[in-house]
Amino acid sequence: MRVEYINPFVETSYRVLKEVLGGEDVQRGDLYLKSTAMPVMGVAALVGLAGAVEGRVLFDMTFETALKVASKMNSEELAEFDELAKATISELANIITAQAVTKLHELGFQFDVTPPALFVGEKMEIAALGKNPGASEENVEALIVPLITDCGKIEVNVAIRERM
């Protein structure tokens, strides 16, 4: 996985979170790798990438964190993780991805993105299974960038590879 693909997502996630959360402090945790088949925390917005590169970006957080983020973004206390909260988290993923992809296009990388898909549930696992034509047998490892906010931890989970 090339760092040129990852940096725009990390930088944009940091900047957008700081902005939408009203300037609150955002800290970047230590980067680490994990299998793409690891469980998610409870709320995950997934954006697919296709073209010269293939893969996905996942914005992963707990229900509590997602509810706090959605409340801040809507400037009102949301009592439950309802349709408004879901739409807000999807839009957050959309904003971050659109800005990161714009940066990548400016660097000469060409690929398309899917609209965010939101996954909500406990003990959930999102895995890249199956053997796509031309894909290698193993799962792609994902680079995880934890971002710590006053609302909680949001993991930016990036798994991108060049198309074979």
Side-chain angles (χ1 to χ4, degrees):
M1 193 170 3
R2 291 173 50 183
V3 73
E4 294 94 344
Y5 300 142
I6 297 160
N7 279 341
F9 288 100
V10 175
E11 292 165 7
T12 302
S13 297
Y14 177 86
R15 189 175 37 72
V16 169
L17 280 171
K18 199 164 183 65
E19 184 180 309
V20 301
L21 297 178
E24 76 174 46
D25 194 31
V26 177
Q27 299 292 321
R28 193 172 101 180
D30 292 332
L31 304 153
Y32 65 95
L33 290 172
K34 76 176 180 181
S35 163
T36 54
M38 292 292 284
V40 294
M41 292 187 271
V43 175
L46 180 133
V47 179
L49 307 169
V53 296
E54 60 187 4
R56 55 108 185 111
V57 180
L58 189 73
F59 301 92
D60 189 14
M61 62 200 85
T62 64
F63 284 103
E64 181 182 354
T65 297
L67 190 58
K68 287 179 181 178
V69 168
S71 293
K72 278 235 180 183
M73 287 180 68
N74 285 292
S75 301
E76 66 178 270
E77 194 66 33
L78 301 178
E80 59 183 299
F81 198 72
D82 59 10
E83 293 306 310
L84 176 59
K86 290 174 186 175
T88 302
I89 297 302
S90 291
E91 185 57 21
L92 174 63
N94 207 28
I95 292 167
I96 292 170
T97 304
Q99 291 183 22
V101 166
T102 298
K103 281 186 177 185
L104 286 165
H105 280 263
E106 289 168 359
L107 294 172
F109 299 107
Q110 297 299 314
F111 52 90
D112 296 316
V113 297
T114 65
L118 192 67
F119 297 88
V120 180
E122 293 184 23
K123 297 182 181 174
M124 187 176 40
E125 182 180 284
I126 298 173
L129 300 176
K131 296 177 187 153
N132 297 329
S136 60
E137 299 269 335
E138 74 279 355
N139 272 335
V140 176
E141 280 197 318
L143 180 71
I144 312 302
V145 183
L147 296 172
I148 306 353
T149 72
D150 291 343
C151 294
K153 179 173 69 169
I154 299 168
E155 289 187 347
V156 181
N157 178 320
V158 183
I160 301 174
R161 65 179 170 200
E162 291 184 40
R163 186 174 288 279
M164 300 294 176

